[in-house]
Amino acid sequence: MAPYNLLVTRLQLLLSVFLQKALGVRQYHVASVLCQRAKVAMSHFEPNEYIRYDLLEKNINIVRKRLNRPLTLSEKIVYGHLDDPANQEIERGKTYLRLRPDRVAMQDATAQMAMLQFISSGLPKVAVPSTIHCDHLIEAQVGGEKDLRRAKEINQEVYNFLATAGAKYGVGFWRPGSGIIHQIILENYAYPGVLLIGTDSHTPNGGGLGGICIGVGGADAVDVMAGIPWELKCPKVIGVKLTGTLSGWTSPKDVILKVAGILTVKGGTGAIVEYHGPGVDSISCTGMATICNMGAEIGATTSVFPYNHRMKKYLNKTGRAEIASIAEEFKDHLVPDPGCHYDQLIEINLNELKPHINGPFTPDLAHPVAEVGHVAEKEGWPLDIRVGLIGSCTNSSYEDMGRSAAVAKQALAHGLKCKSQFTITPGSEQIRATIERDGYAQILRDVGGIVLANACGPCIGQWDRKDIKKGEKNTIVTSYNRNFTGRNDANPETHAFVTSPEIVTALAIAGTLKFNPEADFLTGKDGQKFKLEAPDADELPRAEFDPGQDTYQHPPKDSSGQRVDVSPTSQRLQLLEPFDKWDGKDLEDLQILIKVKGKCTTDHISAAGPWLKFRGHLDNISNNLLIGAINIENGKANSVRNAVTQEFGPVPDTARYYKKHGIRWVVIGDENYGEGSSREHAALEPRHLGGRAIITKSFARIHETNLKKQGLLPLTFADPADYNKIHPVDKLTIQGLKDFAPGKPLKCIIKHPNGTQETILLNHTFNETQIEWFQAGSALNRMKELQH
C-alpha cells in the first residue's frame, strides 16, 4: 500500500484538478484563505498574492518543537514551507521534503519546454504566481538596440508562443529587452523568507535578498505550477562565517571566488550555503546576490544571507517599503538561531581577502589577481587579453556598473582607453535606464566599451564573436559565473577567467593578465606613470531608479478565448509525446553509447549557443546530444563507435541508429556528471533517443533530478573504481528493477566481448514517488495517471 503522505498528495492533486477544471480558476492552498496578520503583496504585479509570514512562523514553531534545537536560517525558510510540518520526516542529507514554494520563475530558453509540459498536463491555470523572462535568445553582435531588434525578428515564433501560453495559463510575461531573469526577480519578486524555484541554475541569486531560491528543471516547475508539493532532498547546511570588512579592490565577487577555490565545483552538492557573521553587514544587497548567484558553481542547492539593513535599504529603493516593514516585524524568523549547527563551517576574514580571478576552463581554479600573471606564464596561458566583458546575472547591478565606471573614469583622465575589447551588459531595463541617466554608460563607452542588450548574451554563448577564428588560443576576462570550455564563444581554445567587474575593467585597460591594479602602474597619454585608485561607487542610485520602458505583460483575468498555436511543421516548437512506460522487466544488453572521460557538464551534454533556438523542439535539439563530451575510447569529442557497424560517427547519429534498430543504450560518466546549467534538455535528449540509464561516479543535484523526472535511471557505482571495469565495447544488464526500492542497490552485469562477465553494484537515490516516475515513464506521465 502506498504511504499515507503519498495518498494525501494524490487526493490533493485530484481535488486541485477538479477545482481548476470545474471552476476555471486558480486553485489556492487552503492556507491562502486563512486570516493574515498583515496583508502585504508579494509583488505590485500581483496585488492579491500575499506574503505568508504568519504561516512561515506557524510551521517554524511546529518544526522547532519537534526537533528541539536551534535552527539555521536555511532550515527556517525551507521547513517553514513544508506541506506537512507536523509529520514530515526531517533528516539532513537523507529524507525527501515535500514543500510548497511561493512562486516559479522561468527564463525563455527553459520556459518553452516547461510550458509544453504544462500544456500536456491538461490543467487550465497555474496554481502559484509564475513568470517567464525573455533573456536567453538575444545574441550579442554590434550593440543593444540593433541586437534586440534582430532577436525579436528571429525569435518571433518562440516569443509569441511564450506570450500566448503565459496569457492562457496565467503566467506573467517579461518581454525581450526586460533584462536578465535573476536581476528582474531581485528587483520585483524576491523577498526575505520566500521559497522560489526557477528553471535556471543561477536562481540562487535571490538569496541576496534573504530568500531560498533554487534552480530546477522544467518538470519540477510544472509540479509546482500544477499545485503538487515539490520534493527536495533535505539539504545539509554549510556555514560561511564572514568577519572583517570589505574594502579597496576587494569585492563581493571575491568572497565566492574564494569559497569556490575551497569547496571546488562539487563541494556544495546537496547543501545550502548560509552566510553569517559580522562581515555580512559590509556587503550590499546586490553584492550578496552576486555571492549567492555563483554558489551554483560549487554545486550548492542554493545560498542565502540573513535579513539585515542592507536588504531593507534595497527593498525601500525598489519600491517595496511595505515588505521591508513586515520583514522587520518577523525578523527573528529571517535570521539563524543563536547556537545553530552547521554541517561544515568555513571562516573568511574580509580584512585579509584579496582580489581573485578564477580559471581558465573551470570556475573553482582560484588565483589572487596579484599572482595570476605568473601562473599564466608558467602554464602557457595567453597573457594578452583579447576581450573584457562585464555584466551577466552575476554582476550587473547599479553598484557593479558604478565601480567599473569609477575605474574607467580614472583611465580617461589620463588619456587612456581599453587596450582590450570591452563589452557591458546591464542586468535589467531599470539598470540600463538608470546608468544612462547617471552617466555611467557614457563613461564606459568613452573608455572603449560597447553596451549590449539587457540579456545574458556572451555569458551563455550568445556571442557572435568576430575577432578570432575557432581554434585560436586566446584569453578573455569576464565578470560572469561560468568559464567551461567553449562556454562563451564555442572556441575550445578560449581561456576564460572570471573576476569582479572592476578588475575586468582594469585588466581591459591594461590589456594583460600580468597587471595587478593594487600594485602596478599605468602610463598615461602624457608619458607619466599613475596608479589606479580603488573604485568607490554608490550601492544604489541617489535619485530613484529610472524604470525605463514598460516591458511586462500581465496575464488577462479571462483567458478563455486565448489560443496557443504550435505549428506541426515548426522547426522551433514541437508538442510533446509521452515517453514509453517501463515494461516491467530488467534492462538487458544495454549498449554503451559513450564512456565519458573527465568533466561532463550540461554544456557538454546539451550545448547552448546556436542550439538555443531549438529549446522548444525536442527532436531537433537532440542533434546536439553529448557532442561536447570526450569519448574515453579515442580521446575525441562527438566521435563514438557504432557497435553494429563498427564505424565511428557523431554521438547523436549513433544514438538515433540504436533507437531505429531497437537497441537500448546507457552512458558511463565520471565525477559530478551534469554540473552547470539546470537545462533539462540534457535529460530529455537521452530519453528521447532511446537511453535508459546514466551510470557515473557521482551526479550534480539538478541533473540527477532531471533524469529521474524523464524516466531515466541515474545510478552511481557503489565502488567508484568500478568505472574502470567497464569498456565502451561491453554490454550491461541492470537487474533488480522488479524489486526496485529506496536504498536498495541494483545489480549490473558487465558482459565483455570475450564472453566473460563480472557483477558490480549500483547505488541510487530514488524514493517511492520517484520510482513511480520511472515505472510510469516520466513524472509527467505519472501526473496524468493521477488525474485520471
Side-chain angles (χ1 to χ4, degrees), residues 280-299:
V280 167
D281 286 340
S282 73
I283 305 173
S284 68
C285 179
T286 52
M288 293 185 233
T290 290
I291 294 168
C292 292
N293 177 294
M294 204 176 153
E297 271 42 79
I298 57 173

PDB file of all heavy atoms in Angstrom, residues 280-299:
ATOM      1  N   VAL A 280      28.938  40.277   7.209  1.00  0.00           N
ATOM      2  CA  VAL A 280      27.814  40.366   6.267  1.00  0.00           C
ATOM      3  C   VAL A 280      27.382  41.818   6.068  1.00  0.00           C
ATOM      4  O   VAL A 280      27.047  42.236   4.957  1.00  0.00           O
ATOM      5  CB  VAL A 280      26.625  39.512   6.774  1.00  0.00           C
ATOM      6  CG1 VAL A 280      25.348  39.835   6.008  1.00  0.00           C
ATOM      7  CG2 VAL A 280      26.958  38.025   6.655  1.00  0.00           C
ATOM      8  N   ASP A 281      27.402  42.599   7.129  1.00  0.00           N
ATOM      9  CA  ASP A 281      26.881  43.960   7.058  1.00  0.00           C
ATOM     10  C   ASP A 281      27.720  44.886   6.179  1.00  0.00           C
ATOM     11  O   ASP A 281      27.275  45.983   5.843  1.00  0.00           O
ATOM     12  CB  ASP A 281      26.759  44.559   8.462  1.00  0.00           C
ATOM     13  CG  ASP A 281      25.586  43.973   9.238  1.00  0.00           C
ATOM     14  OD1 ASP A 281      24.673  43.420   8.590  1.00  0.00           O
ATOM     15  OD2 ASP A 281      25.581  44.058  10.474  1.00  0.00           O
ATOM     16  N   SER A 282      28.910  44.466   5.797  1.00  0.00           N
ATOM     17  CA  SER A 282      29.740  45.310   4.930  1.00  0.00           C
ATOM     18  C   SER A 282      29.470  45.046   3.447  1.00  0.00           C
ATOM     19  O   SER A 282      30.099  45.644   2.579  1.00  0.00           O
ATOM     20  CB  SER A 282      31.234  45.083   5.223  1.00  0.00           C
ATOM     21  OG  SER A 282      31.674  43.832   4.728  1.00  0.00           O
ATOM     22  N   ILE A 283      28.517  44.170   3.154  1.00  0.00           N
ATOM     23  CA  ILE A 283      28.215  43.784   1.772  1.00  0.00           C
ATOM     24  C   ILE A 283      26.840  44.315   1.395  1.00  0.00           C
ATOM     25  O   ILE A 283      25.873  44.160   2.143  1.00  0.00           O
ATOM     26  CB  ILE A 283      28.250  42.248   1.610  1.00  0.00           C
ATOM     27  CG1 ILE A 283      29.587  41.689   2.093  1.00  0.00           C
ATOM     28  CG2 ILE A 283      28.014  41.859   0.156  1.00  0.00           C
ATOM     29  CD1 ILE A 283      29.640  40.167   2.134  1.00  0.00           C
ATOM     30  N   SER A 284      26.743  44.935   0.229  1.00  0.00           N
ATOM     31  CA  SER A 284      25.458  45.445  -0.245  1.00  0.00           C
ATOM     32  C   SER A 284      24.520  44.295  -0.575  1.00  0.00           C
ATOM     33  O   SER A 284      24.950  43.145  -0.727  1.00  0.00           O
ATOM     34  CB  SER A 284      25.662  46.307  -1.492  1.00  0.00           C
ATOM     35  OG  SER A 284      26.097  45.494  -2.577  1.00  0.00           O
ATOM     36  N   CYS A 285      23.233  44.610  -0.716  1.00  0.00           N
ATOM     37  CA  CYS A 285      22.257  43.574  -1.065  1.00  0.00           C
ATOM     38  C   CYS A 285      22.584  42.945  -2.414  1.00  0.00           C
ATOM     39  O   CYS A 285      22.565  41.722  -2.555  1.00  0.00           O
ATOM     40  CB  CYS A 285      20.859  44.185  -1.083  1.00  0.00           C
ATOM     41  SG  CYS A 285      19.556  43.029  -1.539  1.00  0.00           S
ATOM     42  N   THR A 286      22.911  43.762  -3.413  1.00  0.00           N
ATOM     43  CA  THR A 286      23.247  43.201  -4.722  1.00  0.00           C
ATOM     44  C   THR A 286      24.580  42.465  -4.678  1.00  0.00           C
ATOM     45  O   THR A 286      24.796  41.521  -5.440  1.00  0.00           O
ATOM     46  CB  THR A 286      23.271  44.293  -5.799  1.00  0.00           C
ATOM     47  OG1 THR A 286      24.115  45.375  -5.387  1.00  0.00           O
ATOM     48  CG2 THR A 286      21.870  44.819  -6.076  1.00  0.00           C
ATOM     49  N   GLY A 287      25.464  42.863  -3.760  1.00  0.00           N
ATOM     50  CA  GLY A 287      26.711  42.121  -3.578  1.00  0.00           C
ATOM     51  C   GLY A 287      26.448  40.749  -2.993  1.00  0.00           C
ATOM     52  O   GLY A 287      27.072  39.751  -3.385  1.00  0.00           O
ATOM     53  N   MET A 288      25.516  40.671  -2.054  1.00  0.00           N
ATOM     54  CA  MET A 288      25.124  39.365  -1.508  1.00  0.00           C
ATOM     55  C   MET A 288      24.509  38.501  -2.610  1.00  0.00           C
ATOM     56  O   MET A 288      24.730  37.284  -2.651  1.00  0.00           O
ATOM     57  CB  MET A 288      24.122  39.544  -0.368  1.00  0.00           C
ATOM     58  CG  MET A 288      24.685  40.219   0.873  1.00  0.00           C
ATOM     59  SD  MET A 288      23.454  40.243   2.201  1.00  0.00           S
ATOM     60  CE  MET A 288      23.435  41.973   2.639  1.00  0.00           C
ATOM     61  N   ALA A 289      23.737  39.129  -3.498  1.00  0.00           N
ATOM     62  CA  ALA A 289      23.144  38.387  -4.614  1.00  0.00           C
ATOM     63  C   ALA A 289      24.228  37.822  -5.524  1.00  0.00           C
ATOM     64  O   ALA A 289      24.109  36.687  -6.009  1.00  0.00           O
ATOM     65  CB  ALA A 289      22.210  39.299  -5.407  1.00  0.00           C
ATOM     66  N   THR A 290      25.280  38.579  -5.762  1.00  0.00           N
ATOM     67  CA  THR A 290      26.412  38.095  -6.557  1.00  0.00           C
ATOM     68  C   THR A 290      26.992  36.825  -5.946  1.00  0.00           C
ATOM     69  O   THR A 290      27.242  35.833  -6.643  1.00  0.00           O
ATOM     70  CB  THR A 290      27.511  39.173  -6.643  1.00  0.00           C
ATOM     71  OG1 THR A 290      27.051  40.253  -7.457  1.00  0.00           O
ATOM     72  CG2 THR A 290      28.803  38.619  -7.219  1.00  0.00           C
ATOM     73  N   ILE A 291      27.199  36.838  -4.641  1.00  0.00           N
ATOM     74  CA  ILE A 291      27.780  35.692  -3.947  1.00  0.00           C
ATOM     75  C   ILE A 291      26.857  34.473  -4.053  1.00  0.00           C
ATOM     76  O   ILE A 291      27.299  33.357  -4.357  1.00  0.00           O
ATOM     77  CB  ILE A 291      28.050  36.047  -2.476  1.00  0.00           C
ATOM     78  CG1 ILE A 291      29.137  37.136  -2.389  1.00  0.00           C
ATOM     79  CG2 ILE A 291      28.464  34.815  -1.677  1.00  0.00           C
ATOM     80  CD1 ILE A 291      29.269  37.771  -1.013  1.00  0.00           C
ATOM     81  N   CYS A 292      25.559  34.692  -3.816  1.00  0.00           N
ATOM     82  CA  CYS A 292      24.603  33.577  -3.887  1.00  0.00           C
ATOM     83  C   CYS A 292      24.479  33.048  -5.309  1.00  0.00           C
ATOM     84  O   CYS A 292      24.382  31.837  -5.525  1.00  0.00           O
ATOM     85  CB  CYS A 292      23.237  34.036  -3.381  1.00  0.00           C
ATOM     86  SG  CYS A 292      23.197  34.391  -1.616  1.00  0.00           S
ATOM     87  N   ASN A 293      24.469  33.951  -6.272  1.00  0.00           N
ATOM     88  CA  ASN A 293      24.342  33.577  -7.680  1.00  0.00           C
ATOM     89  C   ASN A 293      25.396  32.559  -8.073  1.00  0.00           C
ATOM     90  O   ASN A 293      25.099  31.503  -8.643  1.00  0.00           O
ATOM     91  CB  ASN A 293      24.465  34.839  -8.533  1.00  0.00           C
ATOM     92  CG  ASN A 293      24.418  34.575 -10.019  1.00  0.00           C
ATOM     93  OD1 ASN A 293      25.306  33.937 -10.573  1.00  0.00           O
ATOM     94  ND2 ASN A 293      23.401  35.087 -10.682  1.00  0.00           N
ATOM     95  N   MET A 294      26.644  32.851  -7.760  1.00  0.00           N
ATOM     96  CA  MET A 294      27.734  31.997  -8.210  1.00  0.00           C
ATOM     97  C   MET A 294      27.923  30.784  -7.311  1.00  0.00           C
ATOM     98  O   MET A 294      28.752  29.919  -7.593  1.00  0.00           O
ATOM     99  CB  MET A 294      29.023  32.805  -8.327  1.00  0.00           C
ATOM    100  CG  MET A 294      30.018  32.185  -9.293  1.00  0.00           C
ATOM    101  SD  MET A 294      31.494  33.177  -9.536  1.00  0.00           S
ATOM    102  CE  MET A 294      32.640  31.857  -9.952  1.00  0.00           C
ATOM    103  N   GLY A 295      27.101  30.677  -6.267  1.00  0.00           N
ATOM    104  CA  GLY A 295      27.105  29.447  -5.480  1.00  0.00           C
ATOM    105  C   GLY A 295      26.716  28.238  -6.306  1.00  0.00           C
ATOM    106  O   GLY A 295      27.025  27.095  -5.938  1.00  0.00           O
ATOM    107  N   ALA A 296      26.039  28.484  -7.439  1.00  0.00           N
ATOM    108  CA  ALA A 296      25.723  27.377  -8.353  1.00  0.00           C
ATOM    109  C   ALA A 296      26.984  26.701  -8.851  1.00  0.00           C
ATOM    110  O   ALA A 296      26.971  25.518  -9.216  1.00  0.00           O
ATOM    111  CB  ALA A 296      24.911  27.913  -9.541  1.00  0.00           C
ATOM    112  N   GLU A 297      28.085  27.429  -8.870  1.00  0.00           N
ATOM    113  CA  GLU A 297      29.346  26.874  -9.382  1.00  0.00           C
ATOM    114  C   GLU A 297      30.020  25.913  -8.424  1.00  0.00           C
ATOM    115  O   GLU A 297      31.004  25.262  -8.787  1.00  0.00           O
ATOM    116  CB  GLU A 297      30.308  28.030  -9.729  1.00  0.00           C
ATOM    117  CG  GLU A 297      30.188  28.561 -11.126  1.00  0.00           C
ATOM    118  CD  GLU A 297      28.764  28.717 -11.596  1.00  0.00           C
ATOM    119  OE1 GLU A 297      28.100  29.686 -11.227  1.00  0.00           O
ATOM    120  OE2 GLU A 297      28.290  27.846 -12.347  1.00  0.00           O
ATOM    121  N   ILE A 298      29.533  25.823  -7.201  1.00  0.00           N
ATOM    122  CA  ILE A 298      30.085  24.833  -6.274  1.00  0.00           C
ATOM    123  C   ILE A 298      29.080  23.713  -6.042  1.00  0.00           C
ATOM    124  O   ILE A 298      29.245  22.906  -5.126  1.00  0.00           O
ATOM    125  CB  ILE A 298      30.515  25.480  -4.934  1.00  0.00           C
ATOM    126  CG1 ILE A 298      29.344  26.215  -4.276  1.00  0.00           C
ATOM    127  CG2 ILE A 298      31.691  26.421  -5.149  1.00  0.00           C
ATOM    128  CD1 ILE A 298      29.644  26.743  -2.882  1.00  0.00           C
ATOM    129  N   GLY A 299      28.036  23.678  -6.861  1.00  0.00           N
ATOM    130  CA  GLY A 299      27.059  22.607  -6.786  1.00  0.00           C
ATOM    131  C   GLY A 299      26.037  22.749  -5.687  1.00  0.00           C
ATOM    132  O   GLY A 299      25.244  21.836  -5.451  1.00  0.00           O
TER     133      GLY A 299
END
